[in-house]
Amino acid sequence: MSDRHQLTDSDTRAQGSDVEPDGPVEEKAPRRRRGRRIALIVLLVVVLLTGGTALAGGLYYRSVDKSIERVDAFEGVPDESRPQVEAKGAMNIMILGSDSRDPESTGGSRSDTIILAHLPKDRSSAQLISIPRDTWTAVPKSKEGRGGRDAKINAAYAWGGVPLMVQTVEKFSGVRVDNVAMVDFAGFKEIIDALGGVEIDVEKGFTTKYSLIGTRTFEKGRQTMDGAAALDYARERHAFPDGDFARIRHQQQVIKAILDKAASGGVLTNPAKLNSFVRATSDSVAVDKSLSLVDLAMEMRGLRGGNLTFFTCPVKGTGRVGSESVVFPDPARSKTLFDAVRRDSVPEILAISGK
């Protein structure tokens, strides 16, 4: 895995760990390059954009697909401990997002996002389940001997990289992870500006405490946001009583707005725009060795924002474990949700999520 997808010791602190888990990690985690990155939603955007023209430019897009960085996401993951496949043909993709340009970050630290995206066998829709980064759960022991105890779910990445993150999410959910994508949430700005802005309905007015321009005030109501404004909107958590949960809602809101604008904003019919998106993506996203974005795009070329459902993994609330502020999952409701995901029962997933 290249340096741009590693975490530094300061990343561990930024992930919400009030104490450094299992000692420093800097010796095994070189500093990530900075630069232009595409956002957390790049995987879904690429699926949407390339799907419209992949038939016409199949060879070109496959050459781009081959140039995308690959990570060994399942190295050392013991197969005997992994969940069994219950619904053949369905796909579950773990999307890991970080934010290398968060104004709230210090010392190169990032705040991260974890999404389990379920793609049904018929590929007619997608259900995206956000797992709060501070979720308190059992983290298996990495091959280096780190972990092996309860911790915040995102500590797994600092302790054992993507493979331990796969093991932890599978243990937490009971759902087998088929593929992995890693992207940078800061890329929201570039994608949205390329689209000419997105429409967002702000549920309640607020002023950001950490912004690309210092502070920014959002008025209640529907409005067009450029990339910088949308990124500030999706980042803010301090202005809300429910903190990270509000941020998750806003991230989901912006993801849907991007997909809707990409579908309706002429990108699909403009070869120059389409090519710039695909090329930028090939330089900015890492996926596991078996995932073909072009093949996935072909399967899901009818996907639009209206076919997506976003929700958050059920939780009981927040609290403290020692010196750490954590999120406590709701085991019963989570089990019901993930059981439905394993069986590829979309009606049950939607019913559980209240959508």
Side-chain angles (χ1 to χ4, degrees):
M1 184 164 60
S2 80
D3 60 332
R4 69 189 173 107
H5 294 294
Q6 298 279 355
L7 289 178
T8 65
D9 182 36
S10 56
D11 295 326
T12 306
R13 293 190 295 271
Q15 289 171 335
S17 298
D18 299 314
V19 295
E20 292 187 5
D22 284 17
V25 296
E26 67 273 14
E27 74 276 10
K28 290 188 180 291
R31 185 180 299 277
R32 288 173 55 181
R33 292 200 311 266
R34 295 177 182 273
R36 187 174 184 274
R37 305 287 175 84
I38 301 301
L40 171 68
I41 42 67
V42 71
L43 178 65
L44 293 177
V45 171
V46 171
V47 167
L48 177 67
L49 295 181
T50 59
T53 57
L55 285 172
L59 292 177
Y60 167 71
Y61 290 115
R62 288 191 183 280
S63 70
V64 172
D65 193 30
K66 290 179 181 179
S67 71
I68 292 174
E69 182 181 349
R70 301 285 166 168
V71 299
D72 199 343
F74 303 97
E75 180 184 10
V77 178
D79 193 65
E80 63 273 13
S81 68
R82 303 190 66 194
Q84 297 299 309
V85 175
E86 293 189 26
K88 292 185 178 180
M91 181 183 293
N92 298 298
I93 303 174
M94 183 176 70
I95 306 174
L96 301 177
S98 62
D99 193 346
S100 60
R101 286 179 286 171
D102 188 343
E104 191 179 347
S105 298
T106 59
S109 58
R110 283 83 167 163
S111 57
D112 59 335
T113 300
I114 305 163
I115 290 179
L116 187 61
H118 177 70
L119 310 180
K121 181 179 180 180
D122 64 9
R123 301 292 192 267
S124 63
S125 63
Q127 295 76 46
L128 286 80
I129 306 168
S130 294
I131 302 175
R133 63 179 189 170
D134 292 339
T135 298
W136 191 253
T137 190
V139 177
K141 184 172 290 188
S142 72
K143 63 180 182 180
E144 297 83 9
R146 296 175 179 174
R149 64 177 177 86
D150 288 353
K152 294 181 181 183
I153 195 167
N154 61 355
Y157 191 31
W159 292 343
V162 180
L164 189 58
M165 199 72 203
V166 169
Q167 288 181 262
T168 303
V169 169
E170 287 188 338
K171 184 177 181 65
F172 172 73
S173 65
V175 173
R176 190 179 182 97
V177 173
D178 299 301
N179 296 103
V180 175
M182 302 172 63
V183 288
D184 193 324
F185 203 80
F188 259 156
K189 183 177 183 300
E190 284 81 4
I191 279 188
I192 292 170
D193 286 340
L195 291 173
V198 293
E199 293 290 320
I200 299 291
D201 191 0
V202 179
E203 58 184 351
K204 182 180 180 181
F206 66 93
T207 298
T208 63
K209 296 185 179 181
Y210 297 90
S211 168
L212 295 175
I213 59 174
T215 62
R216 190 190 299 270
T217 297
F218 292 91
E219 303 293 338
K220 179 180 179 179
R222 192 166 186 81
Q223 55 205 265
T224 300
M225 297 185 190
D226 63 11
L231 184 55
D232 284 343
Y233 179 76
R235 277 177 171 151
E236 182 59 35
R237 63 188 175 95
H238 295 283
F240 307 99
D242 54 351
D244 274 337
F245 294 99
R247 179 162 61 179
I248 287 172
R249 289 195 303 272
H250 292 167
Q251 288 174 357
Q252 294 171 344
Q253 201 176 2
V254 174
I255 290 170
K256 185 177 184 301
I258 291 173
L259 290 170
D260 286 341
K261 184 63 177 287
S264 62
V267 178
L268 293 175
T269 58
N270 185 317
K273 288 184 179 180
L274 183 60
N275 286 346
S276 68
F277 266 82
V278 175
R279 286 187 178 278
T281 300
S282 69
D283 293 335
S284 307
V285 63
V287 299
D288 69 85
K289 292 184 176 181
S290 66
L291 179 60
S292 168
L293 294 181
V294 172
D295 288 346
L296 187 59
M298 291 291 293
E299 294 178 21
M300 302 192 69
R301 56 185 177 271
L303 186 68
R304 295 296 182 269
N307 306 122
L308 306 179
T309 306
F310 302 86
F311 48 100
T312 302
C313 183
V315 302
K316 286 187 172 181
T318 59
R320 300 195 72 81
V321 175
S323 62
E324 299 187 78
S325 176
V326 306
V327 173
F328 294 112
D330 186 321
R333 293 170 59 211
S334 295
K335 183 179 185 302
T336 301
L337 169 63
F338 291 123
D339 280 349
V341 171
R342 281 197 303 273
R343 291 183 283 103
D344 192 26
S345 178
V346 174
E348 288 184 59
I349 297 172
L350 298 180
I352 294 164
S353 67
K355 303 296 183 180

